[in-house]
């Protein structure tokens, strides 16, 4: 303990003077969600005054239900398969059940994430508040945004792409846009995977140019390269502050067998 205390004190001192940016979107009834996933449900189950204690005390409580891919969330590697195989070659058919979920690469196997984060502000690079619904983020635009940010993506980084679509979160129909939206296609995903990123995320409902029934970006990142995908981020405050490099922190829930988890990610800037 004595040998680690100076390090901890230095860490606490640095964190106390750091700026923390919340990268999560709020949950609310009617919030956006990808059409194939269940919605977010919420209700009070006990209101104040239903049960009162002898001192006049009372408690309210609530219940929630949601799909694991609803709201700001991270995909487990078992979320996608191709040709019946998961990342690493496991046969999906023999590794899944409705009651138990997936027995390989499920979200409970993902450790807490504390990694270098990099923001590539594609919307700003293109000179718009938000990218058009049919905009494909090409490798050249990723490289331009990297140069404009003055950073170099390294192996193990979490790379976040800002499209500007977080501003539509309170307008669910516009945000989901019939499961359409801007994002990278396969060559953009390959640009990220060749840099060895740990995870890639965006402020859209699906981290790729949609619609595309083949979902080539999800297949390439999750199945072929073991790279996690993060969706429905709120990158507006971070981008507005001109931050390009930060400590990315997120803790997936330990949902045994699940294909994703809601997260409350933050960016910490010293």
């Amino acid at each position: 303990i004595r040998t680690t205390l100076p390090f901890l004190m230095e860490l606490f001192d640095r964190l106390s003077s750091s700026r923390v940016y919340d990268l999560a979107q709020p949950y609310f009834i009617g919030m956006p969600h990808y059409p194939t996933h269940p919605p977010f449900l919420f209700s009070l189950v006990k209101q104040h005054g239903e049960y009162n204690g002898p001192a006049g005390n009372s408690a309210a409580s609530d219940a929630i239900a949601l799909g694991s891919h609803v709201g700001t969330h991270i995909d487990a590697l078992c979320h996608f398969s191709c040709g019946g195989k998961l990342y690493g070659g496991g046969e999906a058919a023999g590794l899944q059940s409705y009651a138990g979920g997936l027995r390989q690469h499920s979200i409970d196997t993902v450790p807490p994430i504390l990694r270098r984060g990099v923001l590539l502000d594609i919307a700003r690079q293109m000179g718009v508040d938000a990218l058009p619904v049919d905009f494909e983020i090409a490798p050249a635009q990723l490289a331009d945004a990297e140069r404009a940010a003055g950073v170099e993506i390294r192996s193990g980084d979490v790379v976040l792409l800002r499209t500007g679509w977080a501003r539509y979160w309170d307008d669910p129909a516009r945000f989901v846009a019939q499961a359409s939206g801007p994002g990278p296609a396969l060559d953009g995903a390959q640009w990220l995977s060749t840099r060895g990123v740990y995870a890639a995320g965006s402020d859209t409902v699906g981290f790729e140019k949609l619609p595309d029934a083949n979902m080539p970006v999800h297949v390439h990142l999750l199945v072929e390269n073991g790279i996690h995908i993060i969706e429905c981020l709120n990158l507006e405050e971070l981008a507005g502050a001109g931050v390009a490099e930060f400590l990315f922190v997120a803790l997936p829930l330990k949902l045994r067998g699940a294909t994703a988890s809601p997260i409350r990610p933050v960016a910490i800037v010293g």
Side-chain angles (χ1 to χ4, degrees):
I1 295 177
R2 291 178 181 175
T3 58
T4 59
L5 187 57
F7 163 75
L8 289 176
M9 294 306 297
E10 180 183 354
L11 178 61
F12 294 152
D13 288 343
R14 295 197 63 177
L15 286 175
S16 65
S17 61
S18 297
R19 174 74 184 271
V20 179
Y21 295 88
D22 190 343
L23 307 182
Q25 291 283 18
Y27 285 82
F28 57 89
I29 294 294
M31 64 180 280
H33 65 93
Y34 197 81
T36 57
H37 294 295
F40 172 72
L41 303 176
F42 168 89
S43 176
L44 282 182
V45 295
K46 289 292 180 290
Q47 296 187 13
H48 288 291
E50 290 188 41
Y51 294 95
N52 294 313
N57 52 295
S58 181
S61 59
D62 40 43
I64 61 173
L66 72 160
S68 61
H69 296 267
V70 175
T72 306
H73 66 277
I74 184 169
D75 291 348
L77 300 184
C78 66
H79 176 40
F80 261 68
S81 66
C82 191
K85 295 184 182 297
L86 301 172
Y87 172 68
E91 293 283 350
L95 294 168
Q96 63 186 354
S97 67
Y98 284 113
L102 274 295
R103 295 193 298 277
Q104 194 173 90
H105 305 310
S106 56
I107 200 65
D108 56 302
T109 65
V110 179
I113 303 169
L114 292 91
R115 290 178 176 266
R116 177 177 181 255
V118 173
L119 175 65
L120 299 184
D121 194 340
I122 309 299
R124 177 174 294 178
Q125 187 67 20
M126 300 307 299
V128 296
D129 291 332
L131 299 178
V133 67
D134 58 351
F135 189 91
E136 180 180 316
I137 301 174
Q141 289 147 354
L142 293 169
D144 288 345
E146 182 184 30
R147 283 191 294 271
V151 297
E152 181 179 353
I153 295 171
R154 301 195 295 257
S155 178
D157 285 350
V158 175
V159 178
L160 309 180
L161 310 183
R162 177 180 173 264
T163 70
W165 274 54
R167 66 184 58 236
Y168 304 145
W169 186 252
D170 288 327
D171 184 352
R174 186 172 186 180
F175 184 84
V176 176
Q178 299 296 313
S180 298
L186 179 58
D187 55 357
Q190 291 168 336
W191 188 92
L192 292 164
S193 65
T194 56
R195 284 152 178 78
V197 302
Y198 176 81
S202 74
D203 50 7
T204 60
V205 73
F207 183 80
E208 61 182 288
K209 172 66 181 68
L210 295 174
D212 190 330
N214 292 319
M215 301 296 284
V217 170
H218 277 65
V219 170
H220 179 73
L221 295 180
L222 295 171
V223 183
E224 298 174 356
N225 288 277
I227 296 171
H228 295 283
I229 292 173
I230 305 170
E231 292 163 331
C232 298
L233 289 156
N234 187 348
L235 303 174
E236 294 304 285
E237 185 182 16
L238 189 68
V243 175
E245 185 179 21
F246 47 91
L247 172 62
F248 179 88
V249 180
L251 284 73
L253 300 176
K254 298 190 77 169
L255 302 171
R256 187 172 295 172
T259 62
S261 169
I263 53 173
R264 180 77 178 271
V266 297
I268 303 175
V269 181

